[in-house]
């Protein structure tokens, strides 16, 4: 009878441990989904600023290309080349902005890794550049290039964007 009672208690404990493990796993998954939802909400709020950030180089590129045609027609290839170089710089800038948005919006794998703090701050500030301009705020960073933290890169960027956005 005692053995049967112990087996029953042991079985009940095993079921409870299994249930708690399942509940903890579901909680971690729900927390991960909440983090992703918060990132997407913030991304939506930043969309207007990013649209402006992309429209500025696009407008400049349009003007430079119109100017490029006139310079080529006038036989001024050196100045035309300068316009091409400016367009290349603008395209690179737009590429950096869209890369940061893509990196920010992806789901974090959840693994801590060494992350360059200065690089993470630069990336966060790039996403908030329009807000900085509209608030007439200049950010001056004094973070050594060799400053590293162990963190999830995507989540670190999200934390920094949230902190900086709140500060702005």
């Amino acid at each position: 009878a005692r053995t049967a009672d112990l087996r029953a208690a042991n079985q009940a404990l095993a079921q409870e441990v299994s249930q708690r493990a399942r509940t903890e796993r579901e909680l971690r998954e729900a927390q991960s989904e909440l983090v992703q939802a918060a990132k997407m909400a913030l991304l939506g709020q930043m969309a207007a600023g990013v649209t402006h950030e992309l429209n500025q180089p696009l407008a400049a590129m349009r003007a430079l290309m119109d100017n490029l045609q006139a310079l080529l027609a006038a036989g001024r290839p050196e100045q035309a080349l300068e316009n091409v170089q400016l367009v290349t710089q603008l395209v690179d800038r737009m590429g950096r902005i869209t890369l940061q948005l893509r990196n920010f919006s992806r789901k974090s794998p959840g693994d801590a890794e060494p992350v360059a703090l200065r690089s993470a701050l630069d990336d966060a500030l790039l996403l908030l550049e329009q807000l900085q301009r509209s608030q007439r705020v200049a950010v001056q960073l004094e973070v050594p290039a060799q400053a590293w933290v162990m963190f999830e890169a995507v989540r670190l960027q999200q934390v920094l964007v949230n902190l900086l956005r709140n500060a702005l």
Side-chain angles (χ1 to χ4, degrees), residues 76-116:
R76 297 165 56 190
E78 298 84 18
Q79 290 173 314
L81 182 57
E82 289 175 17
N83 278 18
V84 170
Q85 291 167 342
L86 289 172
V87 168
T88 300
Q89 291 170 2
L90 291 169
V91 168
D92 290 344
R93 175 176 169 69
M94 292 171 66
R96 285 191 306 273
I97 292 168
T98 57
L99 176 65
Q100 286 314 112
L101 285 173
R102 189 181 72 222
N103 289 342
F104 183 81
S105 65
R106 76 172 191 233
K107 196 166 183 176
S108 175
D111 298 327
E113 60 188 3
V115 180

Side-chain angles (χ1 to χ4, degrees), residues 19-159:
Q19 178 61 35
R20 286 184 185 210
R22 210 173 16 258
T23 302
E24 286 178 18
R25 186 176 57 253
E26 290 170 0
L27 178 61
R28 279 192 301 276
E29 289 171 5
Q31 286 172 332
S32 177
E33 292 299 319
L34 282 173
V35 166
Q36 186 66 14
K39 281 197 307 189
M40 297 312 290
L42 180 60
L43 197 55
Q45 292 170 357
M46 293 184 330
V50 171
T51 300
H52 182 73
E53 281 297 311
L54 293 176
N55 279 334
Q56 281 182 326
L58 283 172
M61 288 168 50
R62 175 65 186 178
L64 287 167
M65 294 307 286
D66 289 343
N67 193 28
L68 176 64
Q69 290 175 342
L71 290 170
L72 288 173
R76 297 165 56 190
E78 298 84 18
Q79 290 173 314
L81 182 57
E82 289 175 17
N83 278 18
V84 170
Q85 291 167 342
L86 289 172
V87 168
T88 300
Q89 291 170 2
L90 291 169
V91 168
D92 290 344
R93 175 176 169 69
M94 292 171 66
R96 285 191 306 273
I97 292 168
T98 57
L99 176 65
Q100 286 314 112
L101 285 173
R102 189 181 72 222
N103 289 342
F104 183 81
S105 65
R106 76 172 191 233
K107 196 166 183 176
S108 175
D111 298 327
E113 60 188 3
V115 180
L117 186 56
R118 178 62 189 242
S119 176
L121 278 165
D122 287 342
D123 292 347
L125 287 169
L126 181 63
L127 290 174
L128 296 169
E129 192 169 351
Q130 174 58 31
L131 182 58
Q132 288 175 61
R133 270 201 302 275
S134 71
Q135 298 291 331
R136 295 187 177 128
V137 173
V139 177
Q140 182 178 348
L141 294 178
E142 294 182 15
V143 179
Q146 64 273 19
W148 291 76
V149 295
M150 287 297 291
F151 211 87
E152 299 170 43
V154 173
R155 288 193 183 184
L156 177 60
Q157 185 180 10
Q158 180 188 13
V159 167

